[in-house]
Structures are given as structure tokens and as C-alpha cells.
Amino acid sequence: QLQLVESGGRLVQPGGSLRLACVASGDTFSNYAMGWFRQTPGKDRDFLGRISWSGASTYYPDAVKGRFTISRVNDKNTVYLKMNNVKPEDTAVYYCAAAISWSGRDRPEQYDYWGQGTQVTVSS
């Protein structure tokens, strides 16, 4: 069973940058495609992007394309979410998630394992 632990969330000023990390354990990390989501109180989890098993392929929704970048280092069992030019509306709890399959994995219910989340607050 794969365990995921996110870190890196903090208070950041608008316009700044932030990199979140998600460390996996308990199974072979490179067997999983990884996704990032975020959630604010009372709302559904929003899909932020995904990366394939090797890291060769990524996909982002239009809402974050160009500002957010997902990468992974399989030797470190880690996936990253780099956020640039952050805005107050980026304030949320951010989650990483793992799925065996890569194709079309844009909804939370398509992922098998989740981390506990890390809080990002964008405010001056």
C-alpha cells in the first residue's frame, strides 16, 4: 500500500513562488502516475495536473497551465508541484494522489491513494 506525505505548504505573498513536495513510501513509486489537487472548505477537489510514471508526460488544466509545473524524481520517491505567480485564490489545502493508470486521470475518484494535504495560504 502506497503512503503519501505532502510538505512545503506555508504562507506566501501574492506574486511569489512555492514548491510543494510529496514523498511516497510502501510501494514502488515509479509504478504510479501522480496527480495534484487542491480543496477549499465546502468545495470539491480541483484537479491541478498529473505526471506519468517516468515523468516524461504531464497534463495541466487550462486554469493553471503556465503557472504550475509538476515534476518527479523517482529515485527520491518524490513528486513536486511548483507554483509561480501565486494568487490569493490559490489558497487551499493541496493534495497529491497516486493512480496505477495515467490516461485521463482528472477526477479525484480515479486516484487510489492520497496524502493528508498541506495548507497553502496566499496573502500579503
Side-chain angles (χ1 to χ4, degrees):
Q1 181 134 355
L2 194 69
Q3 289 88 45
L4 302 172
V5 178
E6 300 95 337
S7 63
R10 60 177 175 87
L11 174 65
V12 59
Q13 290 189 342
S17 296
L18 189 65
R19 189 179 77 164
L20 307 180
C22 169
V23 178
S25 62
D27 201 350
T28 303
F29 180 60
S30 57
N31 286 347
Y32 294 87
M34 299 297 296
W36 282 93
F37 292 79
R38 68 186 178 191
Q39 189 172 27
T40 55
K43 295 189 176 181
D44 293 335
R45 289 187 183 184
D46 290 331
F47 171 68
L48 302 176
R50 52 184 162 92
I51 188 167
S52 61
W53 310 273
S54 68
S57 298
T58 54
Y59 173 81
Y60 305 94
D62 289 343
V64 301
K65 191 178 296 181
R67 280 202 308 130
F68 290 8
T69 303
I70 298 174
S71 60
R72 67 190 294 165
V73 180
N74 284 345
D75 288 348
K76 294 185 177 181
N77 292 343
T78 303
V79 62
Y80 301 97
L81 175 67
K82 179 69 181 300
M83 306 163 58
N84 292 323
N85 189 25
V86 296
K87 306 173 183 180
E89 51 264 40
D90 293 324
T91 296
V93 177
Y94 284 70
Y95 299 90
C96 64
I100 290 293
S101 298
W102 149 258
S103 179
R105 290 305 193 261
D106 300 347
R107 301 190 306 274
E109 61 267 27
Q110 295 173 307
Y111 285 78
D112 305 300
Y113 301 101
W114 290 83
Q116 84 290 347
T118 186
Q119 175 71 47
V120 172
T121 302
V122 182
S123 175
S124 56

